[in-house]
Each structure stands twice: as structure tokens, then as C-alpha cells.
Amino acid sequence: MIKKIEHIGIAVNDLEEATKTYQVLLNVSPYKTETVKREGVKTVFFECGESKIELLGATRADSPIGKYLSKQKEGIHHIAFFVDDILAEMHRLQSEGFQLLSDEPKPGADGKTIVFMHPKSSHGVLVELCADENEI
Ligand code: ZN
């Protein structure tokens, strides 16, 4: 079941500069910085009420975020929904015709297990489903 918006991912060109900006904007320090080497992304997380803001910077030009930023301006990259049972939700969405970008959930940042959905399935929005890692 989809429970809430877990976070909004924002792709940025300069992670250090963007971190400073969002620290002032949200008036809170980031609670976590994490590099997901396999995905070529460095992330900075801010709490924002019961949701979070995830800043995404590329660690290499050929990573998914690097390619994204070479084609598009920085800005909102994805919306992540928190689900209690990611496998059940993947199954439900696939059976409804939504196209997931992988058949299995994979480890994401911030202790989450994640899967992405193709933006064409959701009117141009890249959707991430995420669950707590220990729920799998
Ligand atoms: Zn995310």
C-alpha cells in the first residue's frame, strides 16, 4: 500500500552549492549524505515535515543522473512514495499495466529498498517506490 510521499528527488548540477541553498531554504541541516557508487550518484537528505528532500548530484557523467543533467536542466527529478510491501505494490502496479524499470527492488540511499517506474507510465513523472530495507 502506498503510505505517503517519502521524498522528492531534485537533480542538481552543483551538490555543494545546492546543499547550502536548501539548508537556508528549509532552515535545517542535512541529516545524511550518502554516495550510491553503483548508481553514480551522491545524495544529500533533508527532513521536511514527514517527508524529505533528496538532492542528487552525479559522481560521473555517464551515470543515470549525469546523463539526465546533460540533457535537462536541474530540478525535480522524481517523486518517491513510501510503501509497506514493495513486492506486493510492484506486482499490483505491473498487473495494472505500469512499467517498472527493474523486475526486482534494489538497495537505494537512506536505508531504503527501491524501484523506479518509467515516466511514461505516470504522465511524465519518474516515480520511485521505496520501502524500509528490513521489510524485504
Ligand atoms: Zn529518491
Side-chain angles (χ1 to χ4, degrees):
M1 207 173 166
I2 291 179
K3 296 289 190 181
K4 65 171 183 177
I5 294 175
E6 213 278 336
H7 62 268
I8 293 174
I10 300 172
V12 300
N13 291 323
D14 184 333
L15 194 59
E16 204 175 311
E17 199 56 44
T19 300
K20 285 183 205 159
T21 301
Y22 276 83
Q23 191 160 339
V24 174
L25 192 157
L26 299 169
N27 202 18
V28 68
S29 295
Y31 69 90
K32 187 179 239 185
T33 298
E34 187 177 348
T35 299
V36 183
K37 211 174 169 194
R38 187 173 42 83
E39 299 294 326
V41 65
K42 186 172 178 187
T43 60
V44 177
F45 284 92
F46 294 90
E47 279 183 340
C48 181
E50 63 168 24
S51 296
K52 295 160 189 164
I53 297 293
E54 174 187 34
L55 301 181
L56 305 150
T59 59
R60 34 173 226 270
D62 67 343
S63 70
I65 284 290
K67 286 183 193 161
Y68 177 90
L69 285 167
S70 73
K71 282 185 279 187
Q72 304 188 47
K73 286 185 183 159
E74 59 180 358
I76 291 181
H77 176 262
H78 66 271
I79 295 179
F81 295 112
F82 183 81
V83 298
D84 50 1
D85 184 338
I86 197 165
L87 294 174
E89 209 56 36
M90 287 171 70
H91 182 74
R92 181 183 76 83
L93 291 166
Q94 277 172 323
S95 67
E96 294 282 3
F98 290 89
Q99 188 191 332
L100 300 177
L101 293 184
S102 57
D103 292 330
E104 306 231 315
K106 54 187 180 178
D110 202 25
K112 294 289 188 289
T113 296
I114 66 165
V115 67
F116 282 99
M117 186 189 293
H118 197 289
K120 78 178 180 193
S121 291
S122 39
H123 298 265
V125 176
L126 178 61
V127 168
E128 174 187 340
L129 303 178
C130 64
D132 287 329
E133 215 159 45
N134 55 14
E135 294 295 315
I136 290 285

